[in-house]
Amino acid sequence: MERVYAKSITGVKNLTRGNIEYILDLALRLEPIIQGESDKKPLAGKKLVTFFYEPSTRTRMSFESAMLSLGGGVISMSDAMRSSSVWKGETLQDTIRTIHNYGHIIALRHFEGGAAEKADLYSKVPIINAGDGPNEHPTQTLLDLLTIKKRLGRLDNIHIALCGDLKHTRSANSISLALSKFDNVKFTLVRPEGFETQQWILDIMKGKNVEIVETEDLQGAINDEPDVLYMCRIQKERFDSEEAFNAINGKYCLTREMLSQVDKNIIVLHHLPRVDELDESVDDYPGAAYFEQTYNGVLVRGAMMTMLLKKDLEL
Ligand code: NCD
């Protein structure tokens, strides 16, 4: 386990396995504080600035909830495209050179891939990437991994199936990069033709000790009894045309009936929000863990802020 020494967290791409394990361990150690069972306030005096160019429920609110629980404060821009000076045409670099004066750490969500890395160049405070276009979503991945770790007790030797719009889903990108850093991981990538995982991610994965199977058949993937099945929303806002969207819309819908074809209790994850790809009949399936993911999001985001802001942490 090793803390991240870089100023910012812009992607899983830049994290080592040791960094991931450090963050997950810290998340569990912070849990009593975040739950209000301890008087410790490790981030007292620190302010989080959230600046979101795209909509969010879980990511922004869990960042804020964690910061408040850890004793810090929060200022928030939740609809930057309309209610900030972005509406008047302000550039990302000018926005960052302004808002870094207002807090000690920035959680940034943006519609362009690479925005967090660019922001990091202009910011004097740490940037945490809260999603950059179709590129990466590292905090989502850390909470996904914590959920898997809690349920399965390991991150090595697992078989994960990812299903949906793998071309545009940043959460799928980041978890693919992350689990490729662990040993003996098998990926089943379930997607229609034209919605494949981006080539640069596949290239990194293929350079690691992983097995990759690509298919269009969700039931077939379930019958192969993966440990984890990660359903993904079709990222409608990233499509150029209605026609392109219709090529995948309605293609996959996971139901309880589909899961009951096998005896294994598969851990079902979803980054949320779900739309049509994950039926409510799955909600009381014992493997359904998507609302646990939202709980774990508070822990890992708290851990990432604490790690970046408190180099001398003692708990
Ligand atoms: C995701 C996102 O914004 O990338 N939401 C989230 O953070 N949990 C996924 C999505 O919008 O489909």
Side-chain angles (χ1 to χ4, degrees):
M1 289 200 290
E2 192 184 32
R3 67 157 55 245
V4 173
Y5 287 102
K7 180 182 91 199
S8 296
I9 297 179
T10 56
V12 168
K13 193 179 69 182
N14 307 317
L15 301 180
T16 64
R17 173 188 173 133
N19 295 153
I20 291 170
E21 290 171 335
Y22 181 94
I23 295 165
L24 298 184
D25 177 70
L26 182 56
L28 293 175
R29 288 194 290 135
L30 290 173
E31 191 166 14
I33 304 178
I34 289 177
Q35 285 310 307
E37 292 156 7
S38 155
D39 293 336
K40 291 187 178 143
K41 298 286 173 208
L43 297 186
K46 302 292 186 187
K47 271 195 299 270
L48 163 70
V49 179
T50 61
F51 205 90
F52 277 47
Y53 290 72
E54 290 186 332
S56 170
T57 298
R58 280 152 283 270
T59 305
R60 190 173 60 81
M61 296 186 78
S62 59
F63 261 113
E64 297 181 359
S65 172
M67 184 48 114
L68 294 174
S69 299
L70 293 166
V74 172
I75 57 170
S76 231
M77 178 61 72
S78 62
D79 189 12
M81 297 293 280
R82 276 195 299 188
S83 55
S84 79
S85 288
V86 173
W87 186 82
K88 302 176 186 171
E90 187 162 58
T91 61
L92 176 63
Q93 55 271 33
D94 285 359
T95 297
I96 294 296
R97 285 184 287 203
T98 302
I99 65 173
H100 68 177
N101 296 303
Y102 303 153
H104 305 98
I105 189 163
I106 297 170
L108 177 73
R109 170 167 286 186
H110 198 279
F111 52 87
E112 261 173 23
E117 278 180 13
K118 181 173 179 182
D120 182 46
L121 297 176
Y122 291 92
S123 178
K124 65 183 180 190
V125 304
I127 301 283
I128 301 182
N129 182 4
D132 61 330
N135 187 44
E136 276 227 50
H137 197 350
T139 66
Q140 176 71 43
T141 289
L142 268 294
L143 74 87
D144 298 337
L145 298 184
L146 183 58
T147 308
I148 297 171
K149 186 87 198 276
K150 282 180 170 180
R151 285 267 181 150
L152 272 186
R154 63 178 199 278
L155 294 171
D156 292 308
N157 306 313
I158 68 169
H159 175 190
I160 181 168
L162 294 155
C163 174
D165 174 13
L166 301 187
K167 179 177 174 186
H168 300 107
T169 304
R170 53 196 177 197
S171 311
N173 291 345
S174 291
I175 196 168
S176 300
L177 292 171
L179 282 173
S180 296
K181 298 173 196 279
F182 289 80
D183 292 331
N184 191 28
V185 174
K186 176 176 174 183
F187 292 89
T188 300
L189 304 176
V190 187
R191 78 291 171 277
E193 202 184 322
F195 294 88
E196 292 86 358
T197 302
Q198 295 167 35
Q199 193 58 45
W200 72 272
I201 303 219
L202 287 172
D203 289 344
I204 293 177
M205 292 167 78
K206 285 175 182 162
K208 310 277 183 182
N209 179 25
V210 302
E211 181 185 344
I212 302 173
V213 175
E214 297 189 73
T215 175
E216 296 201 13
D217 178 9
L218 176 56
Q219 185 65 61
I222 293 168
N223 296 347
D224 203 21
E225 303 196 358
D227 300 298
V228 180
L229 171 58
Y230 197 130
M231 296 301 297
C232 300
R233 180 180 71 89
I234 302 165
Q235 305 288 298
K236 189 173 184 188
E237 62 277 28
R238 313 250 179 256
F239 286 70
D240 298 332
S241 67
E242 192 72 18
E243 199 186 350
F245 174 66
N246 288 335
I248 186 170
N249 189 27
K251 174 98 183 165
Y252 298 113
C253 177
L254 182 69
T255 62
R256 178 79 186 240
E257 167 66 21
M258 294 170 79
L259 290 161
S260 67
Q261 304 300 312
V262 294
D263 287 336
K264 183 163 180 164
N265 182 38
I266 297 169
I267 298 167
V268 179
L269 301 183
H270 193 300
H271 44 66
L272 301 180
R274 66 170 146 189
V275 191
D276 301 321
E277 65 285 339
L278 177 56
D279 192 76
E280 286 188 9
S281 62
V282 181
D283 292 0
D284 58 2
Y285 174 72
Y290 27 95
F291 291 109
E292 259 169 65
Q293 285 172 272
T294 63
Y295 172 83
N296 289 327
V298 187
L299 306 185
V300 298
R301 292 181 174 119
M304 290 161 106
M305 291 189 287
T306 304
M307 179 184 66
L308 294 176
L309 289 172
K310 290 289 282 193
K311 302 289 181 200
D312 56 347
L313 179 73
E314 276 182 40
L315 288 175

